[in-house]
Amino acid sequence: MSPITRSMVLWVPDWPILASLRIEPLRGEPLASGATDVPLALIEKGLVFACSAAARIEGVQRGLRIREAQARCTDLVVRPYEQQLDSRTFETVITAIEELMPGVQLVRPGIAAVRSRGPARYYGGEQPAGLALVALLEGLGIPGARVGIADGPFTAEQAARTATSAHRVRVVPEGASADFLGNLSISLLEDPALITLLRRLGISTLGDFAALPAADVLGRFGPDGAHLHALAGGLDSRPIVAHQPPDELDLVVAFEPPLDRVDQVTFGVRASADDFVQQLVAKKLVCTTLRVEIETELGDYSERSWLHPRSFTASDVVDRVRWQLQGSGEVDSGLRSSGFKSGVSAVRIVPEAVDAIGNHEVGLFGAGPDERIHNGLARVQSMLGHEGVLTPVVSGGRTLADRQKTVPWGDRPLLPRSNRLPWPGQLPLPLPATIFAAPHPVFVYGADGTETQIDERGRFSSAPARFSPATGKDSRQITAWAGPWPISERWWDAEAALDASRFQVVDDRGVAWLLVLTRRATGSSWAAEARYD
Amino acid sequence: MFEYGSMTLAAATLPEMQDEEIALAAAPADSATIIDDLQQRIRSMQATKLDSRLLPTHPALAELLPGGGLKQGAMYSVEPTGTGYGATLLLALLAGPSAAGSWCGIVGVPEFGIEAAASFGIDLDRLILVPAPGDQWLAVTAAIADVLTVVVIKPPRQASEGNLARLAARLRQRGSTLIVVGSHSAWSQSEAMLSLSQSSWSGIGDGAGHLTARQVTVTVSTRTGGRPRSARLWLPDPELQFVRVEAPPTHLRAVG
């Protein structure tokens, strides 16, 4: 068995509450006041996950339903619990501790562990080391932190939890863990099933549990039970694993003075983009999704994720930066025409998704003609912008416009609807070869010269005999027609609702058209959507 | 063998051309028509001298086109007429090369029917759309023709002869085929002009049925003169294929 590590554990009471207040302070209440005088509860899945001291005084507890918590404390402020926010804000605390003493382990947000041997020697004792940690957190604006120092992280954590606000550092002397833990409740072991069983066996303190023979506990409760038994006896053999800072793969290019031309910025990024890709390659990774963040002098901020069908090369990275700068503006112009009000002060490139390089290896004889085509089309994209070159995909849907989608070259298609589903109500084959980008309004007349209308049951006022564009010129006789084919979609959504009737008509010159009568709240109108030519 | 013959013909006509140039110097008043005439002759000789390879072309159209198919490095025009704008004919032209693995690009046609293209056998994975090339349409077309095998362009306006000649030279060098559509498609460099007439739809009645098939006459005229070739095609037939309309069998009756 490995020797027990003398550990120092930092505990910040009500960390979720503090984290929530640090990100978003309550209205009218300064951050520095500790925020303990406002009843606040964080809710997860309809139950109270954490609550502030003020709420606890009013009787709010962890595990209550929202309704009941609000009944007990009528001015309770309720917020949803966000675990990422917890972890993210605690990251700053971890970084600060690391500057003071190395080798910090993040146990969970709110609790961090350090080996106490080094700091104790540096500060001349365990008590001063603990006080240094508390003072550090006070400096960060986090009041009420407690520190426990004992053999093993479990005992040290319990020591921290039993520290009082007057004596914020509690030291359990070496070898005294079993005595310290002996009187504590069995419920501190985080295994509800085992706790229930032990209580029914008449064991209510950690000391009682630790008194059981270790071999019997192993035989009855298995390795997990044996581990908890060791914890209860103060024999926590877990080592403290130092927190590994994540690899820094971001690329940040700062411009001083700020640049206000697209080509200058892209030229500045070009050299660093090579390093960015090389750095990934050195870690045997390639980037498949990229986020480009652009900051300007006046604090404007532009952020966008870019997908790549394969993986980003250095020139691809530079292209993405250029396209984001150009936006919808003219090519090779200054930044002002593309929505930026001041010069660019920094560009940050973050790899959002990376993949092992082995999955993206180019074949022995190269990737064939695709590479050449990709380069050629990227050149056209640099002339027209990223949205200028498109690849077509067939999506799911009933109307012609729904079914055909385009994706900018170089992006992966993300289809909201599957084209594998049957989609009843589609047009019969053959499909029209010309689909107007914007439907042309037309008038359709019956044989008697009045405009053709259809009621909600699909009955005609008069059969269509003639139609003309909305300008009135170029009127055409209808020689054959079919329809109406009604389509009624998404009536529950006023924005996306569609109630229309479709017709195929053939005019006297042999051209066939798809005419659509759309009914809206303001009235119905005819339009030519497509041409069979 | 045919090409060899025409090359000797070209060599034989060379002294004649020089004679005409002398005539041009003598009579400047009529120079414009003579230049046109000469350019016409130069072009007609260039076409036959090119070592042109054919793209895999749909058989229904191949027999109508000069040389028996779409030539690499050549231009073709699909002209709109009263009976049709030729979008399906364009799809028929693209279907052959696309099915054989070529990449196709469509420049300046925002109304291109994607799903119709897929249903007529054009591979969407090898299709590129540039719906709005703007003022740079010639530069974009040239850039795309560098890398793709077949490029379709709908010119927003008439381009100058010089620009078109440069584009034609680039196409010949790269071996890409250009198909020009729309109302400004009558380019003098075109190898052949295709147009539609006498379209008749079947399957649709007076308030019943739906469009199933169309018969249409496709006419191909070449710039080197000669009689335009035309044929009656199903564009498409009820099985979404492009085939020639079979003449109704003549029933012979024994007499006497």
Side-chain angles (χ1 to χ4, degrees):
Chain A
M1 198 179 233
S2 57
I4 294 165
T5 318
R6 189 80 181 148
S7 315
M8 177 155 77
V9 169
L10 170 83
W11 174 54
V12 184
D14 295 333
W15 176 257
I17 297 284
L18 279 177
S20 174
L21 288 173
R22 278 171 84 83
I23 293 295
E24 191 185 347
L26 290 173
R27 213 179 316 143
E29 196 247 352
L31 184 63
S33 75
T36 46
D37 51 349
V38 177
L40 172 71
L42 300 182
I43 305 300
E44 190 185 41
K45 293 178 185 164
L47 300 179
V48 173
F49 178 81
C51 58
S52 67
R56 213 171 296 126
I57 291 167
E58 300 274 348
V60 179
Q61 284 172 357
R62 184 176 172 172
L64 282 185
R65 285 185 298 169
I66 304 183
R67 203 53 82 72
E68 198 172 346
Q70 282 170 331
R72 290 188 188 182
C73 172
T74 47
D75 52 355
L76 186 70
V77 180
V78 172
R79 284 183 185 172
Y81 171 64
E82 287 168 52
Q83 198 181 358
Q84 303 93 323
L85 183 146
D86 250 19
S87 313
R88 205 166 60 222
T89 43
F90 200 64
E91 195 63 36
T92 60
V93 177
I94 293 282
T95 319
I97 299 174
E98 258 173 352
E99 282 174 18
L100 202 66
M101 23 187 111
V104 183
Q105 181 187 14
L106 170 67
V107 180
R108 57 179 166 271
I111 296 181
V114 198
R115 283 162 173 267
S116 80
R117 207 177 60 137
R121 272 163 70 183
Y122 181 78
Y123 289 99
E126 290 179 330
Q127 186 81 18
L131 286 172
L133 209 51
V134 170
L136 171 77
L137 264 78
E138 291 282 351
L140 290 175
I142 299 165
R146 314 280 160 83
V147 173
I149 300 166
D151 296 342
F154 176 75
T155 318
E157 186 184 332
Q158 301 316 321
R161 287 184 186 275
T162 52
T164 58
S165 53
H167 301 282
R168 307 247 299 259
V169 179
R170 175 149 189 190
V171 180
V172 178
E174 221 169 328
S177 295
D179 297 340
F180 165 71
L181 291 172
N183 295 326
L184 297 178
S185 161
I186 192 80
S187 61
L188 293 173
L189 298 176
E190 285 169 359
D191 186 344
L194 180 70
I195 291 166
T196 318
L197 181 59
L198 289 175
R199 280 189 197 284
R200 279 160 60 190
L201 293 173
I203 294 168
S204 60
T205 64
L206 292 174
D208 295 345
F209 186 37
L212 297 176
D216 290 353
V217 172
L218 178 64
R220 173 68 178 81
F221 299 113
D224 291 347
H227 171 66
L228 292 174
H229 179 254
L231 292 187
L235 301 171
D236 182 4
S237 59
R238 286 175 300 173
I240 288 180
V241 183
H243 163 81
Q244 285 283 344
D247 291 329
E248 194 66 47
L249 296 172
D250 301 4
L251 166 70
V252 182
V253 186
F255 299 110
E256 180 60 42
L259 302 178
D260 60 355
R261 287 193 59 84
V262 174
D263 42 359
Q264 289 173 337
V265 177
T266 47
F267 188 76
V269 170
R270 187 174 295 273
S272 319
D274 278 328
D275 297 343
F276 171 74
V277 172
Q278 285 306 318
Q279 190 190 6
L280 285 169
V281 169
K283 294 186 186 301
K284 297 191 170 52
L285 295 173
V286 290
C287 180
T288 55
T289 308
L290 193 73
R291 191 170 76 241
V292 178
E293 302 170 2
I294 296 169
E295 278 174 42
T296 68
E297 199 181 358
L298 291 181
D300 288 343
Y301 184 73
S302 150
E303 175 186 298
R304 194 193 146 160
S305 288
W306 298 91
L307 303 174
H308 197 285
R310 293 188 301 280
S311 63
F312 283 98
T313 64
S315 62
D316 290 336
V317 173
V318 175
D319 276 344
R320 298 310 187 274
V321 174
R322 188 196 296 118
W323 295 337
Q324 190 163 330
L325 286 167
Q326 279 166 354
S328 54
E330 284 294 303
V331 174
D332 274 342
S333 57
L335 283 171
R336 264 156 249 274
S337 63
S338 49
F340 288 92
K341 291 186 191 66
S342 56
V344 170
S345 57
V347 174
R348 186 176 152 92
I349 295 163
V350 184
E352 276 197 337
V354 289
D355 196 3
I357 202 165
N359 303 339
H360 293 264
E361 205 44 65
V362 178
L364 184 60
F365 299 103
D370 281 19
E371 202 61 31
R372 196 172 63 91
I373 287 169
H374 183 75
N375 291 341
L377 295 177
R379 210 176 106 227
V380 178
Q381 276 181 321
S382 66
M383 293 157 77
L384 297 177
H386 180 239
E387 313 273 318
V389 181
L390 306 170
T391 46
V393 277
V394 175
S395 170
R398 292 181 179 83
T399 63
L400 292 169
D402 277 351
R403 287 191 66 84
Q404 58 175 12
K405 296 284 173 210
T406 54
V407 185
W409 172 259
D411 279 6
R412 256 170 281 163
L414 299 171
L415 292 181
R417 301 166 174 198
S418 169
N419 58 6
R420 294 173 190 279
L421 300 175
W423 293 107
Q426 289 178 51
L427 286 176
L429 294 171
L431 291 164
T434 300
I435 298 171
F436 302 120
H440 294 294
V442 293
F443 293 121
V444 179
Y445 304 101
D448 53 357
T450 58
E451 202 174 348
T452 302
Q453 288 297 341
I454 304 171
D455 65 13
E456 57 270 20
R457 290 190 161 274
R459 283 180 301 229
F460 288 99
S461 60
S462 55
R466 187 167 66 82
F467 77 100
S468 72
T471 53
K473 284 182 280 184
D474 192 24
S475 169
R476 290 169 183 229
Q477 295 295 326
I478 293 174
T479 56
W481 59 278
W485 300 324
I487 180 167
S488 179
E489 281 192 315
R490 298 185 287 270
W491 48 266
W492 57 89
D493 182 353
E495 292 290 316
L498 174 70
D499 184 14
S501 299
R502 292 163 298 169
F503 286 84
Q504 285 177 336
V505 303
V506 181
D507 68 20
D508 48 356
R509 296 170 213 180
V511 184
W513 304 76
L514 181 74
L515 303 184
V516 179
L517 177 74
T518 313
R519 279 178 289 273
R520 293 185 201 83
T522 50
S524 56
S525 61
W526 285 93
E529 265 193 9
R531 194 172 57 206
Y532 296 79
D533 53 349
Chain B
M1 181 179 169
F2 173 71
E3 286 181 2
Y4 181 72
S6 49
M7 272 168 74
T8 52
L9 174 72
T13 49
L14 206 61
E16 261 180 62
M17 264 175 68
Q18 285 168 348
D19 289 347
E20 278 184 14
E21 274 171 23
I22 296 161
L24 169 71
D30 208 17
S31 60
T33 53
I34 294 174
I35 288 171
D36 277 354
D37 193 32
L38 283 174
Q39 280 180 340
Q40 184 68 38
R41 288 185 59 182
I42 291 168
R43 275 201 297 272
S44 64
M45 282 186 279
Q46 270 176 345
T48 50
K49 270 194 278 185
L50 257 180
D51 173 28
S52 54
R53 281 174 293 166
L54 295 182
L55 286 175
T57 315
H58 199 284
L61 290 166
E63 52 203 39
L64 289 175
L65 290 167
L70 289 170
K71 286 181 193 163
Q72 286 196 340
M75 291 186 183
Y76 294 87
S77 300
V78 176
E79 293 180 321
T81 58
T83 49
Y85 302 79
T88 314
L89 178 61
L90 173 67
L91 296 183
L93 285 170
L94 293 179
S98 182
S102 298
W103 284 71
C104 304
I106 318 280
V107 181
V109 191
E111 66 271 19
F112 186 78
I114 293 167
E115 208 181 355
S119 70
F120 290 135
I122 294 171
D123 191 343
L124 295 189
D125 291 341
R126 291 192 299 271
L127 183 68
I128 302 297
L129 305 179
V130 184
D135 289 339
Q136 309 184 60
W137 61 273
L138 260 176
V140 168
T141 309
I144 286 200
D146 277 355
V147 289
L148 304 189
T149 315
V150 186
V151 181
V152 177
I153 169 74
K154 185 176 177 186
R157 60 182 169 274
Q158 199 56 255
S160 75
E161 279 293 319
N163 284 336
L164 292 187
R166 271 195 292 280
L167 180 61
R170 195 155 172 182
L171 290 172
R172 272 199 297 278
Q173 188 199 348
R174 293 283 177 180
S176 309
T177 304
L178 187 76
I179 301 174
V180 192
V181 299
S183 46
H184 299 287
S185 61
W187 287 4
S188 58
Q189 283 85 356
S190 287
E191 184 80 17
M193 272 83 86
L194 293 88
S195 61
L196 298 180
S197 56
Q198 295 172 338
S199 155
S200 71
W201 283 93
S202 51
I204 188 167
D206 198 12
H210 67 85
L211 300 171
T212 52
R214 172 175 71 160
Q215 287 190 16
V216 69
T217 304
V218 178
T219 307
V220 179
S221 54
T222 53
R223 59 176 186 169
T224 47
R227 207 164 57 82
R229 286 188 245 186
S230 61
R232 193 90 178 134
L233 296 185
W234 285 104
L235 210 63
D237 80 347
E239 277 83 46
L240 298 181
Q241 302 297 318
F242 306 121
V243 286
R244 207 178 247 261
V245 177
E246 299 292 331
T250 325
H251 295 286
L252 296 179
R253 191 161 49 89
V255 288

